Amino acid sequence: MEEDKVKEPQYRGVNELRRMFLEFFESKGHLAMKSFSLVPHNDNSLLLINSGMAPLKPYFTGQEIPPRRRVTTCQKCIRTGDIENIGKTARHGTFFEMLGNFSFGDYFKTEAIHWSWEFLTEVVGLDPDRLYPSVYLEDDEAFEIWNKEIGIPAERIFKFGKEDNFWEHGSGPCGPCSEIYYDRGEKFGCGKPGCTVGCDCDRFIEVWNNVFTQFDNDGHGNYSELEQKNIDTGMGLERLAVVVQGVDSLFTVDTNKALLDRVCQLAGTEYQKDHETDVSLRIVTDHIKSCTFMISDGIMPSNEGRGYVLRRLLRRAARHGRKLGIEGRFLADLSKTVIELSKDGYPELEEKQSMILKVLSEEEDKFNKTIDQGLVILGEMEEGMRQAGEKNLSGEQAFKLYDTYGFPLDLTKEILEEKGWGVDEEGFTAAMKEQKEKARNSRKTTNYMGADVTVYQSIDPAVTTEFIGYDKLTADSRITVLTTEEELVQALTDGQKGTIITEKTTFYGTMGGQQGDVGVITSDKGEFKVEETIHLQGGKVGHVGVMTKGMFQEGDTVTLSVCGKNRALTCKNHSATHLLQKALRMVLGDHVEQAGSYVDAGRLRFDFTHFSAMTAEEIQKTETLVNEQIQASLPVVTEIMTLEEAKKTGAMALFGEKYGDKVRVVEMGDFSTELCGGTHVANTGSIASFKILSETGIAAGVRRIEALTSEGLMKHYEGVEKELAEAAKAAKTTPAALTSRIESLLEELKTLHAENEKLKSKMAKDSLGDVMSQVKEVNGVKVLAAKVPDVDMNGLRNLGDQLKDKLGEGVVVIASVLEGKVNLMATVTEGAQKKGAHAGNLIKAIAGCVGGGGGGRPNMAQAGGKNPAGIEEALKKAEEVLAEQIK
């Protein structure tokens, strides 16, 4: 192919390409779904969503029924398997967007291949002569479609083996792939003869991957045809943009280039002028994008799980910003650019802007302090190396700097290299591997799709439950499923533990922080005690508990009765959290977002984003605001409306929550409006009262309030009253007089303590006897080294001062044994110090004799030990050490 005849595609921006893709597949009968959160839903195998298919797993497995059998998404993804290498080349990034079209048992290879070709050539306008498909070498069906139907000559269709063109992950659904490569031209090639599709150079770039899920792997390499064949298509949006825009890498597509230009502007530098600078520019550009998106999905920096991934990315970005010479905080400023460039496809970025910026600023401040602290620790490690005559920092110490102080290995290496030293990188890797294995071993048991392996996965996905319990507590319904703890059963009998699923239920399942209902399920055949109500995949509600008598069979009609008192108390606590959230935003500011909550019949807990402890005044103000709304007896009104209508009302939405087309809006007068599926009081007056018990920090930038209402608060006061009565009884007084009684007891204690100290001092002095007769001279300096019985360290210091006064000038060393432990103390006058005596060095030299250690200043030092038998040796050695010091 000659370069001058190459047909270049029409320029399209990233945001435009995203819209074009989704609209194209909508025209082919697909439901365009919003990107799912980066936080996986019911999937313990993933820390973060890393592909377009990942959040759709339940639809592929048949665990849940999809909203439509044809779906298309543009999914935000993060891959962090190789963080250390990101930036070193322009090929890789942690954040990317995956365009996908999916078929759940609907169309298959023919449509998938035809539509991928139509989109690339007719919609985007790529030159068909520059596109090369590949197929799995045994997939004759896909080969025929490309060759006979699309008309690609056989020599331009590449056949690859399992490693390249067969998608599988352990056991479960799997299948062959068909990829489409684009020839970017000779200027991107390696120039070697035979350079073609599959070469490692940058000339032929894969833009589309059709995965044909048609087999089931039993885990032992035995494949059977799937009844429901699926299509899972993935195409990296940035990769497509690289091709369409004719740029060299994902860092130079329009949106990323605009962000990278902003980094260059802040750093006062240019891209593609210096390799080291480019590495830092790419790291900052990529990482700030990932961080912005992660925080928008409610991920907070922490030292474990996805919070640790965020912290690592954030700190790497901050560190490379420093390397580029950017002064002061800059991540929040850059994040604004990310939001501006990406809000077209992800409006949640703009909605969460104030919180994103605050988290970034706080964490960057923290790291700036941390990095300075790390430099001090590294300095101490260097001193240790110098003393030991070593030139290599141990891997263990390098990992400690990295793990405890967030100090990247490259920074440690850089600092040491300047001194001609190195780092044991193998030891560092081993320490890292050990930590990863510990983390892996702590994961829950999962099946190949990542969800917890439970009996519930055997339930027919068509089974669902309708919740009818907002305005009633009792209803009759038919049992559709019964399970024990291990398997599906036809009946449950007396004493058995299990789960009952019914067509309809008045029981609210645990969700959104609200604990599920408890109660009973009854019929003339038996009774089942519901201890917990849970949501299962696919819209099912499980009533978990125990058969207390009789027997139930599948198909029986039963009466479901929610415990009214438990529900009423839970409602009071839940409604109070709505009032609390609004009050916190009024008192602390709009950056307050719900980060979690827990409500049951006894108490409420509310986690929220805020970056410092609340003051007593702020807590009081919040509490007063909530109680004012309770006393105002506000009507609580719930309405069902569309998400768009709800947003117009100003309703607060929750992080990471999946909302359907219709949402439930809960309004409490004009004070609070929130999207919420939970149960509530009809009027705030029934909450009665509200009291905050505690306000604490639970994670970086997340605070927690524990509070009580109504009956729970009364029980709390009863408990406090009881404790007060017990305390008064112990102090031999009444609750009313308890404070003055404690004050007089403390005064009495103070007097007795002073008398006790005087007596101890007198006893210590008496036990010395005529100690002055033991004074010796060492090189012209008076030295008193003596032993006294049963004196603590405080007493030894007092004695030392008294003896020093008697000596005038000189050195005092005293040892004592108290309860089997040795106390050693040395004190040196100013005159003796001038002649070379040093209390700290003296104690350090003799502490070993008594099996201990210690040290101190030149004028006073102390030590403890476990070997009383060594006291004589220690006192003798003290004279020898002093003879060395005083010359």
Side-chain angles (χ1 to χ4, degrees):
M1 188 184 297
E2 293 177 36
E3 286 300 303
D4 55 2
K5 290 183 183 172
V6 163
K7 175 191 161 196
E8 293 298 342
Q10 185 188 340
Y11 182 91
R12 310 276 191 182
V14 165
N15 291 321
E16 188 184 358
L17 284 169
R18 189 192 300 112
R19 275 199 300 275
M20 286 165 72
F21 180 87
L22 295 173
E23 284 169 9
F24 173 77
F25 278 101
E26 276 185 299
S27 77
K28 305 294 183 190
H30 290 64
L31 171 68
M33 295 178 76
K34 271 184 62 183
S35 172
F36 292 82
S37 167
L38 283 164
V39 179
H41 184 62
N42 288 338
D43 189 345
N44 294 315
S45 70
L46 287 179
L47 268 185
L48 295 155
I49 291 297
N50 60 6
S51 70
M53 178 269 211
L56 302 169
K57 283 179 190 176
Y59 302 148
F60 278 104
T61 58
Q63 200 70 45
E64 288 186 25
I65 295 170
R68 199 181 293 174
R69 292 177 79 183
R70 296 179 180 187
V71 163
T72 183
T73 61
C74 180
Q75 176 62 45
K76 49 193 173 185
C77 304
I78 285 182
R79 287 186 187 168
T80 57
D82 200 14
I83 290 179
E84 301 299 341
N85 287 323
I86 283 163
K88 289 179 183 174
T89 72
R91 278 183 173 195
H92 304 103
T94 57
F95 179 86
F96 61 98
E97 296 178 55
M98 187 62 84
L99 299 166
N101 58 289
F102 306 93
S103 161
F104 309 112
D106 187 1
Y107 63 85
F108 203 46
K109 292 183 189 177
T110 303
E111 294 89 341
I113 289 172
H114 275 269
W115 290 336
S116 57
W117 189 253
E118 183 185 343
F119 179 74
L120 290 176
T121 59
E122 294 178 30
V123 178
V124 177
L126 295 183
D127 182 351
D129 292 336
R130 298 176 73 174
L131 292 169
Y132 296 80
S134 74
V135 295
Y136 176 50
L137 52 84
E138 292 176 18
D139 191 356
D140 295 335
E141 187 187 353
F143 183 88
E144 291 290 311
I145 296 167
W146 280 115
N147 183 228
K148 302 272 183 354
E149 297 180 25
I150 306 293
I152 308 288
E155 65 273 13
R156 286 190 52 202
I157 304 168
F158 290 78
K159 291 186 173 184
F160 292 135
K162 245 188 176 187
E163 201 173 300
D164 295 304
N165 274 42
F166 195 94
W167 184 91
E168 64 183 330
H169 183 73
S171 63
C174 57
C177 314
S178 176
E179 299 177 327
I180 304 173
Y181 291 83
Y182 180 80
D183 180 2
R184 303 167 74 199
E186 285 175 15
K187 64 179 176 179
F188 290 103
C190 54
K192 292 175 188 168
C195 170
T196 186
V197 171
C199 180
D200 281 342
C201 73
D202 289 339
R203 177 171 177 174
F204 295 91
I205 182 172
E206 176 215 322
V207 289
W208 196 301
N209 187 7
N210 281 300
V211 179
F212 310 124
T213 314
Q214 65 188 96
F215 301 113
D216 187 71
N217 180 353
D218 67 358
H220 304 288
N222 301 312
Y223 298 92
S224 56
E225 286 270 340
L226 280 174
E227 274 182 47
Q228 177 182 295
K229 294 180 173 64
N230 304 312
I231 290 290
D232 160 22
T233 294
M235 172 165 65
L237 174 59
E238 295 86 351
R239 229 184 237 203
L240 178 65
V242 164
V243 165
V244 173
Q245 294 174 17
V247 294
D248 63 353
S249 78
L250 62 95
F251 286 95
T252 40
V253 299
D254 62 323
T255 48
N256 286 346
K257 183 65 167 62
L259 179 58
L260 189 139
D261 286 345
R262 179 77 184 110
V263 182
C264 289
Q265 191 185 352
L266 288 175
T269 188
E270 283 181 69
Y271 186 48
Q272 293 178 327
K273 295 282 183 196
D274 168 73
H275 174 68
E276 280 303 305
T277 302
D278 286 353
V279 169
S280 292
L281 288 169
R282 287 192 288 260
I283 285 171
V284 174
T285 303
D286 170 75
H287 288 11
I288 188 60
K289 200 167 184 181
S290 287
C291 292
T292 301
F293 273 89
M294 286 172 82
I295 297 165
S296 80
D297 279 335
I299 299 166
M300 293 283 139
S302 73
N303 281 332
E304 58 186 23
R306 59 184 71 94
Y308 183 57
V309 173
L310 172 61
R311 177 162 276 166
R312 274 187 75 190
L313 292 171
L314 212 148
R315 290 185 166 188
R316 265 192 115 220
R319 147 90 185 114
H320 281 273
R322 273 191 172 205
K323 273 186 87 171
L324 289 166
I326 302 174
E327 289 181 13
R329 284 193 322 208
F330 67 95
L331 293 178
D333 184 10
L334 267 184
S335 184
K336 286 180 191 168
T337 306
V338 175
I339 294 165
E340 196 53 43
L341 291 166
S342 300
K343 67 181 183 185
D344 185 59
Y346 305 96
E348 65 269 22
L349 294 175
E350 198 166 37
E351 288 167 22
K352 303 294 177 195
Q353 177 161 321
S354 102
M355 192 196 66
I356 294 167
L357 303 185
K358 188 132 193 182
V359 172
L360 285 167
S361 300
E362 294 281 336
E363 185 67 11
E364 193 173 0
D365 277 346
K366 197 175 286 177
F367 182 54
N368 285 338
K369 289 184 191 126
T370 294
I371 206 163
D372 295 331
Q373 191 183 1
L375 286 167
V376 172
I377 303 297
L378 181 56
E380 289 172 8
M381 289 176 178
E382 285 174 18
E383 185 54 41
M385 286 164 68
R386 202 174 281 112
Q387 286 179 5
E390 288 169 0
K391 293 280 184 185
N392 251 22
L393 183 70
S394 76
E396 205 176 302
Q397 285 191 309
F399 184 71
K400 183 185 174 184
L401 275 169
Y402 167 77
D403 200 38
T404 312
Y405 300 99
F407 225 57
L409 179 65
D410 61 349
L411 175 59
T412 306
K413 276 164 64 179
E414 214 171 281
I415 294 166
L416 293 172
E417 274 166 15
E418 287 165 14
K419 299 182 170 71
W421 292 351
V423 178
D424 171 15
E425 289 189 56
E426 279 184 22
F428 177 88
T429 307
M432 173 78 88
K433 190 179 170 193
E434 189 184 335
Q435 195 211 46
K436 278 184 179 170
E437 276 169 9
K438 278 182 191 167
R440 197 177 297 118
N441 293 338
S442 68
R443 270 196 194 149
K444 294 179 187 172
T445 308
T446 66
N447 63 4
Y448 86 98
M449 276 299 190
D452 287 351
V453 181
T454 67
V455 63
Y456 304 126
Q457 287 179 331
S458 311
I459 300 169
D460 179 353
V463 172
T464 57
T465 310
E466 183 189 350
F467 175 64
I468 54 169
Y470 282 125
D471 51 8
K472 57 172 132 182
L473 300 177
T474 303
D476 291 347
S477 188
R478 195 175 72 86
I479 295 175
T480 52
V481 178
L482 291 169
T483 83
T484 62
E485 289 173 293
E486 289 86 29
E487 58 188 337
L488 299 185
V489 289
Q490 290 299 304
L492 275 180
T493 188
D494 203 334
Q496 274 192 301
K497 288 184 177 178
T499 301
I500 295 176
I501 297 175
T502 52
E503 288 174 345
K504 297 178 179 183
T505 185
T506 50
F507 282 73
Y508 181 84
T510 298
M511 191 169 59
Q514 178 177 331
Q515 275 302 99
D517 285 323
V518 295
V520 289
I521 298 175
T522 57
S523 78
D524 56 358
K525 294 179 182 176
E527 184 178 283
F528 181 87
K529 184 185 178 190
V530 181
E531 296 168 340
E532 192 184 1
T533 306
I534 59 174
H535 279 276
L536 302 171
Q537 282 185 313
K540 294 177 264 289
V541 173
H543 307 87
V544 183
V546 62
M547 284 294 300
T548 49
K549 64 180 181 188
M551 185 186 91
F552 283 159
Q553 274 181 283
E554 190 181 299
D556 283 352
T557 295
V558 289
T559 301
L560 299 103
S561 305
V562 171
C563 171
K565 184 180 180 185
N566 185 81
R567 165 76 77 89
L569 291 171
T570 304
C571 286
K572 289 174 185 181
N573 284 332
H574 194 162
S575 296
T577 63
H578 282 225
L579 298 176
L580 172 61
Q581 178 167 2
K582 181 59 190 291
L584 286 168
R585 286 171 76 88
M586 288 168 73
V587 173
L588 302 176
D590 284 347
H591 63 276
V592 168
E593 292 268 357
Q594 181 169 333
S597 69
Y598 176 91
V599 293
D600 61 18
R603 66 196 173 103
L604 69 96
R605 185 177 77 210
F606 188 74
D607 300 342
F608 58 99
T609 52
H610 186 56
F611 301 89
S612 56
M614 286 176 73
T615 62
E617 187 188 357
E618 285 168 341
I619 291 171
Q620 184 58 57
K621 216 172 181 178
T622 303
E623 205 175 82
T624 302
L625 262 173
V626 173
N627 280 309
E628 279 171 1
Q629 305 316 309
I630 291 169
Q631 282 150 25
S633 295
L634 304 174
V636 178
V637 178
T638 57
E639 280 183 80
I640 306 293
M641 56 181 81
T642 67
L643 191 55
E644 288 312 308
E645 286 169 341
K647 283 186 176 176
K648 284 173 194 165
T649 69
M652 288 284 297
L654 282 193
F655 251 61
E657 199 68 31
K658 288 201 290 185
Y659 292 110
D661 293 338
K662 295 284 185 181
V663 292
R664 191 161 173 270
V665 177
V666 179
E667 292 179 350
M668 299 186 182
D670 294 329
F671 186 74
S672 162
T673 307
E674 283 189 42
L675 295 183
C676 179
T679 61
H680 288 277
V681 295
N683 187 291
T684 60
S686 62
I687 300 169
S689 52
F690 172 84
K691 176 74 184 165
I692 293 174
L693 293 188
S694 66
E695 189 273 347
T696 53
I698 57 161
V702 182
R703 309 293 302 172
R704 170 171 289 174
I705 278 177
E706 302 260 6
L708 297 171
T709 70
S710 61
E711 192 178 291
L713 184 53
M714 293 312 292
K715 280 183 181 169
H716 169 72
Y717 284 140
E718 279 171 26
V720 170
E721 211 170 55
K722 195 176 173 186
E723 277 179 33
L724 185 61
E726 291 289 330
K729 190 178 170 187
K732 297 186 172 60
T733 186
T734 62
L738 186 58
T739 306
S740 57
R741 175 71 175 138
I742 289 170
E743 284 169 351
S744 67
L745 284 171
L746 286 172
E747 199 55 49
E748 198 177 314
L749 205 59
K750 197 174 166 186
T751 308
L752 289 170
H753 182 71
E755 286 175 14
N756 189 33
E757 287 300 309
K758 275 183 198 168
L759 285 168
K760 274 162 75 178
S761 180
K762 186 175 183 300
M763 282 168 69
K765 204 171 170 184
D766 292 347
S767 67
L768 272 172
D770 185 18
V771 78
M772 294 310 284
S773 62
Q774 297 174 41
V775 175
K776 295 181 182 175
E777 272 205 17
V778 175
N779 295 348
V781 174
K782 290 180 187 172
V783 176
L784 173 55
K787 176 185 173 184
V788 293
D790 303 321
V791 180
D792 62 14
M793 195 59 81
N794 202 29
L796 284 189
R797 285 196 292 268
N798 289 337
L799 266 181
D801 288 343
Q802 291 168 25
L803 293 170
K804 200 163 63 169
D805 288 345
K806 283 188 181 179
L807 271 184
E809 282 292 345
V811 177
V812 176
V813 182
I814 323 172
S816 184
V817 181
L818 184 66
E819 294 169 359
K821 288 183 182 170
V822 180
N823 292 317
L824 270 181
M825 195 280 313
T827 181
V828 177
T829 63
E830 208 172 312
Q833 280 178 65
K834 283 176 183 168
K835 292 184 178 179
H838 189 292
N841 294 342
L842 171 61
I843 283 291
K844 206 179 277 183
I846 67 171
C849 300
V850 292
R857 301 185 304 276
N859 64 327
M860 207 286 288
Q862 61 191 48
K866 298 172 189 169
N867 177 25
I871 285 180
E872 297 301 332
E873 186 194 345
L875 295 176
K876 191 177 169 206
K877 191 174 179 181
E879 292 175 25
E880 293 166 12
V881 172
L882 278 165
E884 284 290 311
Q885 288 183 346
I886 304 159
K887 297 218 172 152

